[in-house]
Amino acid sequence: MRTFPMFLTMSGRSVVIAGGGEQAAQKCRLMLKTEARIVVLADALDVELQSLADTGRIIWQRGAISPVSFEHAALVFIATECPGLDGCLHMLAKAAGVVVNVVDRPDLCDAITPSIIDRDPVVVAIGTEGTAPVLARQIKTRLEEMLEPRLGDLAALAGRLRGFAARRLGPRERRDLWAWVFNGPLRAQHNVEGDEPIATAIKAAISSGQIPQSGPAPVALVGAGPGSSDLITLRGVQRLQEADVIFYDRLVDPGVLELARRDAERIYVGKAPGCHSWPQDRINALIVSAALRGQRVVRLKCGDPGVFARGAEEAEALSAAGLTYEIVPGVTAASGAAAALGGFLTERGKTDTLVLTTGRKVDAHMPPDWVQHLSTRSHVAVYMGVQTAGQIVDVLSNAGLLDHVHVTAVANAQRADQKVLDCPARDLVARIAAKGLTSPAILFLRQIDTTNASTALRAG
């Protein structure tokens, strides 16, 4: 970021606006929404500014302008509509050591005015660092549609009751209270009925200490998707923003963690291939311990928590401790890899069977059962298959299918460093080594007609 977004406290502070025309009036309209003392420097005012001066809503100062005119201002706007005069006044304001915004001159701006959505006290600011104001307005329009007109009133009501809640409820109960207020039907009811019935319901909940359980379970097993941070679900993002502590895997995109609440604790529990520094029973114990302490917990897993992610073991540990949990599905690696190839896992009339399996089994001596599903109408997606590529080749050879199977491998699907490999099964081990393919990777196996050996996933 070239600019850092921050909300300035304006109560009891001065804002100086240099200019007396329409540009200055626009800045006055904006600043009149705040509690700032507004001083306008100009020899003459347009009718709107004159009316504001006559009613005492702004202070009009005429005459010579010097650095003293800008001293101690929280913010200065230069808006004379004359580029030369704007430049001169900018230098005077900078000599006073204040923060300056020169209208339509981003090169002279210390601060850039964002597009603002006002649901006081809820305020949303959208900025593009001066590069695309039209885009900022488009985003504003969409957010205006999302935020109900009375949302600010509800936030103000919550603000008035925060002290009461702090005296009667613990930290966890307070979070549950406000989750109930803002996430549930109470919010929709407030938009229709206003403050009175909602205030009564909130006060009753605080007084009794009985918070309706409309919020999420204490522990959320969240799928982060296969790679890119924009593939996590909206519910997954919501759980990250509610979490007190996040236990995350090695393969989770750092961009996904940026979606979490900034003060949430982040604990890495990843395991690199062949590394057992974080055994599963230790991870289970950490999750259970955090939840028992009253923390809102997210267990963040790459892909989907229900597909080769050991989510069931964590769920069993939670249940054994008497804890509830929620499963938030994610885009599994096979779906992400197929989409990255521009292909489909199933296709009517061509592929009607999909098998998801793993190259690693609990019992290494167990024979794989995926081989029986290979056909020209099926896809077999092998998770964690790179390290076991030699075993896959052996299984196909023993089944007499080595020359009848094509492999499409996708490593780091949906990431910037994605790699793709297409080859006959017979060449798999050598091609993986030559390509430098490493985990995480998905191997797609498909039986082909030897008269058309080019058939692969992206060919349907």
Side-chain angles (χ1 to χ4, degrees):
M1 294 184 293
R2 288 194 306 111
T3 59
F4 182 75
M6 180 176 288
F7 290 94
L8 299 176
T9 300
M10 303 307 293
S11 180
R13 304 179 75 185
S14 295
V15 172
V16 175
I17 301 173
E22 173 57 25
Q23 283 187 350
Q26 291 172 5
K27 298 306 177 184
C28 269
R29 292 175 207 137
L30 185 61
M31 288 298 105
L32 284 169
K33 295 176 180 290
T34 75
E35 297 178 1
R37 171 178 176 265
I38 302 171
V39 179
V40 175
L41 309 179
D43 288 332
L45 301 179
D46 75 357
V47 291
E48 180 181 356
L49 291 174
Q50 185 66 61
S51 175
L52 292 172
D54 292 343
T55 55
R57 299 186 66 190
I58 65 173
I59 299 169
W60 178 22
Q61 292 184 0
R62 287 166 283 190
I65 299 175
S66 70
V68 176
S69 306
F70 301 105
E71 281 184 349
H72 309 301
L75 187 60
V76 169
F77 291 100
I78 307 296
T80 69
E81 303 179 43
C82 171
L85 183 54
D86 281 350
C88 292
L89 293 177
H90 169 263
M91 288 189 290
L92 294 176
K94 292 306 296 178
V98 294
V99 176
V100 183
N101 174 279
V102 182
V103 176
D104 293 334
R105 289 291 303 274
D107 56 312
L108 297 181
C109 289
D110 301 315
I112 297 173
T113 307
S115 291
I116 293 175
I117 298 171
D118 184 7
R119 300 286 192 277
D120 185 32
V122 176
V123 179
V124 181
I126 304 126
T128 62
E129 297 187 339
T131 61
V134 172
L135 175 61
R137 287 194 292 272
Q138 289 178 352
I139 295 171
K140 175 184 176 180
T141 299
R142 294 185 185 182
L143 290 176
E144 288 277 13
E145 294 169 354
M146 291 172 56
L147 302 178
E148 59 269 31
R150 284 182 167 174
L151 182 60
D153 294 338
L154 181 59
L157 172 62
R160 294 193 295 272
L161 295 176
R162 285 183 71 84
F164 181 36
R167 292 190 297 272
R168 299 295 296 265
L169 303 175
R172 172 63 182 274
E173 289 75 21
R174 292 200 299 273
R175 286 194 296 272
D176 288 345
L177 169 73
W178 301 124
W180 168 62
V181 170
F182 291 112
N183 294 346
L186 217 60
R187 177 170 167 178
Q189 183 183 350
H190 179 273
N191 194 43
V192 175
E193 300 179 20
D195 281 359
E196 186 174 343
I198 308 310
T200 300
I202 297 173
K203 290 175 185 177
I206 296 172
S207 297
S208 68
Q210 301 298 312
I211 312 302
Q213 295 300 309
S214 62
V219 179
L221 308 175
V222 177
S228 179
S229 61
D230 58 1
L231 288 177
I232 189 172
T233 65
L234 291 175
R235 184 180 297 179
V237 173
Q238 183 176 357
R239 295 299 176 260
L240 286 174
Q241 293 174 348
E242 295 164 344
D244 300 310
V245 59
I246 301 164
F247 297 96
Y248 68 97
D249 279 348
R250 176 178 65 93
L251 300 176
V252 169
D253 187 332
V256 174
L257 292 172
E258 288 297 314
L259 301 172
R261 225 177 68 200
R262 291 197 180 277
D263 57 348
E265 184 180 5
R266 296 160 171 81
I267 300 176
Y268 171 73
V269 292
K271 293 182 286 187
C275 176
H276 302 287
S277 58
W278 282 98
Q280 188 62 48
D281 58 353
R282 185 182 176 195
I283 296 173
N284 295 349
L286 284 170
I287 296 170
V288 168
S289 177
L292 289 175
R293 289 196 301 269
Q295 292 181 291
R296 185 74 69 188
V297 179
V298 162
R299 174 66 171 105
L300 187 63
K301 294 173 171 290
C302 189
D304 183 284
V307 181
F308 304 121
R310 304 187 74 169
E313 296 172 54
E314 293 164 354
E316 288 172 5
L318 292 164
S319 295
L323 294 163
T324 58
Y325 62 87
E326 174 191 18
I327 301 171
V328 180
V331 178
T332 190
S335 296
L341 295 171
F344 301 90
L345 292 172
T346 65
E347 191 172 350
R348 185 180 181 188
K350 294 182 179 180
T351 306
D352 50 24
T353 301
L354 172 65
V355 178
L356 305 182
T357 187
T358 175
R360 297 179 178 272
K361 291 185 176 292
V362 175
D363 185 350
H365 301 291
M366 290 176 58
D369 52 9
W370 52 261
V371 70
Q372 64 184 300
H373 297 290
L374 279 170
S375 75
T376 57
R377 297 178 63 86
S378 70
H379 278 138
V380 174
V382 182
Y383 287 63
M384 297 167 281
V386 169
Q387 284 79 15
T388 57
Q391 298 172 29
I392 291 171
V393 170
D394 291 342
V395 169
L396 292 173
S397 180
N398 293 336
L401 293 172
L402 190 58
D403 293 321
H404 297 265
V405 172
H406 192 93
V407 181
T408 301
V410 186
N412 298 313
Q414 300 287 341
R415 297 175 184 261
D417 56 349
Q418 175 180 296
K419 292 183 179 180
V420 178
L421 170 65
D422 281 307
C423 69
R426 178 177 292 278
D427 301 333
L428 181 60
V429 175
R431 292 290 299 277
I432 285 177
K435 188 88 173 180
L437 221 64
T438 58
S439 291
I442 290 283
L443 306 184
F444 292 109
L445 312 182
R446 182 162 189 170
Q447 187 172 339
I448 59 173
D449 186 339
T450 53
T451 62
N452 185 16
S454 64
T455 305
L457 175 68
R458 44 181 132 194

